[in-house]
Amino acid sequence: MTEPTPTEALIALIAERSACVGVVGLGYVGLPLAAATARAGFKTIGFDIDPEKPPRLNRGQSYIDAVTDAELGKLIAEQRFTATDDFSRLADCDVIAICVPTPLTRQREPDLSYVEATVRNIALTLRAGQLIVLESTTYPGATREVVKPLLEQSGLRSGADFLLGFSPEREDPGNAEFETRSIPKVVAGDGPGAARAIEAFYSAAVDRVVPVSSLDVAEAVKITENVFRAVNIALVNELKMVFDRMGVDIWEVIEAAKTKPFGYMPFYPGPGLGGHCIPIDPFYLTWKSREFDIPTRFIELAGEINLTMPRYVVGRLEEALDRQLGKSLGSARVLIVGLAYKRNVADVRESPTFKLLELLEARGAEVNFHDPHVDVVPSTREHAPLAGRRSLSISAETLAAHDAVLISTDHDAVDYALIARHARLIVDTRNAFGRRGVAVANLVKA
């Protein structure tokens, strides 16, 4: 009887749900993926270098809204999920998904150090028949050019011994309409065997799989999705500045424009871009494009516009303080509402509020913040001096003690009516009051 190929053997394990799945990086992408594979019947091991995360997860305490404590506790009780910082256990896994950060350097170039460190760890225990999948967003060619050679330093070969694939994450923190299982999954493999294996694996965990022809195409799909959003947000941010000079409300314009049933999709301005994807991923493509002597002027211009928005907001605040209160920015007390980068989540990654805080304090303003989802500023690489600051509670006394309230993130769990009654000046970057129909006499849109 002929021995099964590595692909056939792995597909059989997947079909029987006897394959063990490892997920490296238990953040906003990795933990929901681990929960999805465990729900699908796979024994799942979550790996993270943060020594505090595995014990917390193993106690059934989730820190990601998409995975509840109750669901996590059930998966642990059924012995379908466990978390660890012992990377030697990667040897036990038949499928390993890499879900680690891919940030930018200070020079806005790709930082693949987390991916490279993870892949080197995997290579230490790599064995024949394993499927390694990169989910972290990167530039087209990175899986071939970076991940594959590092894995092959083990002496094993992609396609012949182990299988290699790429499947871009598509998580949207705070969006209750979609979960990992219901979001279509783009997949690609390094060769036909890997393509079959990765399609079989994700088909067991999500409702719809979308195979593409190559690793590079799959990587380009994710970049394209994020460039599309970054460029369109930059467009409405620029229109906001133009229309403001004309005395035209951009928010009213967008609401009317989106009634057109074809040829238009609404995007909304704000104080800057946040989250891991949109402020970062387009720069992976602009960096890679230099290798081919192709300028990415459109993408880079969009990036420039979005990066200038915090300074624009500070300028609008300074103008409003002077005109309405006769007060300088340097002598003002400012309360920023919203530290998280988007509505109704605790995710502060790349939040423009950090930049607003730093710009205002550099000008001499005294700044506090309120966020119903973030009690304390966490430790971050880019904004370490802000770590440990605590959210103030919203009250009439708190509002009266500040000269201006700056709405940076429009969480639903904020008492906007209370702010409207007691704030001396409100600068709203999200149309939070307009969308809720809260009338405010002393409001400036920015």
Side-chain angles (χ1 to χ4, degrees), residues 144-417:
R144 280 188 301 103
E145 298 166 1
V146 178
V147 176
K148 182 176 176 178
L150 287 174
L151 290 174
E152 290 188 336
Q153 286 179 8
S154 65
L156 300 178
R157 292 291 172 263
S158 176
D161 303 305
F162 68 90
L163 305 169
L164 177 62
F166 182 82
S167 179
E169 58 89 1
R170 278 177 163 173
E171 290 295 325
D172 187 14
N175 189 340
E177 293 184 30
F178 299 98
E179 59 179 5
T180 302
R181 182 169 191 94
S182 63
I183 301 171
K185 206 80 171 75
V186 173
V187 301
D190 183 30
R196 287 173 53 211
I198 193 173
E199 184 174 357
F201 168 62
Y202 282 105
S203 293
V206 303
D207 294 334
R208 183 185 174 202
V209 170
V210 183
V212 295
S213 61
S214 71
L215 300 172
D216 293 38
V217 169
E219 291 162 334
V221 167
K222 177 63 174 176
I223 289 288
T224 299
E225 293 169 0
N226 290 335
V227 165
F228 173 78
R229 293 182 66 192
V231 166
N232 280 280
I233 291 171
L235 174 61
V236 293
N237 276 331
E238 187 168 65
L239 289 174
K240 173 179 71 174
M241 294 185 286
V242 173
F243 289 157
D244 177 64
R245 286 289 182 92
M246 297 178 176
V248 174
D249 187 337
I250 181 65
W251 300 95
E252 184 179 358
V253 171
I254 294 170
E255 286 304 302
K258 75 180 188 182
T259 62
K260 184 181 180 182
F262 50 86
Y264 181 81
M265 177 183 294
F267 287 83
Y268 300 93
L273 290 183
H276 175 69
C277 293
I278 304 176
I280 293 175
D281 298 345
F283 290 100
Y284 271 64
L285 183 59
T286 61
W287 176 83
K288 184 64 175 177
S289 71
R290 295 174 201 152
E291 181 181 324
F292 300 92
D293 296 323
I294 300 293
T296 52
R297 291 188 293 269
F298 207 67
I299 298 171
E300 292 180 48
L301 177 60
E304 290 172 15
I305 292 170
N306 289 327
L307 286 170
T308 64
M309 293 318 298
R311 292 187 183 278
Y312 172 77
V313 170
V314 169
R316 291 284 286 155
L317 172 60
E318 181 178 27
E319 181 183 11
L321 282 165
D322 179 44
R323 288 187 174 182
Q324 297 196 25
L325 302 182
K327 198 172 188 70
S328 70
L329 182 62
S331 64
R333 298 190 78 212
V334 180
L335 178 66
I336 299 182
V337 174
L339 183 68
Y341 84 89
K342 68 180 290 189
R343 185 191 313 166
N344 301 337
V345 301
D347 191 348
V348 301
R349 292 176 297 172
E350 305 295 325
S351 173
T353 303
F354 287 125
K355 188 64 176 177
L356 289 171
L357 272 161
E358 292 169 345
L359 289 172
L360 289 170
E361 291 187 341
R363 294 289 303 277
E366 181 182 339
V367 188
N368 294 300
F369 82 95
H370 166 75
D371 193 306
H373 300 279
V374 185
D375 294 329
V376 182
V377 177
S379 179
T380 61
R381 292 199 311 167
E382 297 296 324
H383 310 283
L386 299 176
R389 293 199 187 186
R390 304 195 71 87
S391 170
L392 298 185
S393 61
I394 288 283
S395 67
E397 293 74 22
T398 299
L399 295 166
H402 291 82
D403 299 297
V405 174
L406 172 59
I407 308 297
S408 182
T409 312
D410 52 336
H411 294 304
D412 289 334
V414 170
D415 192 339
Y416 293 98

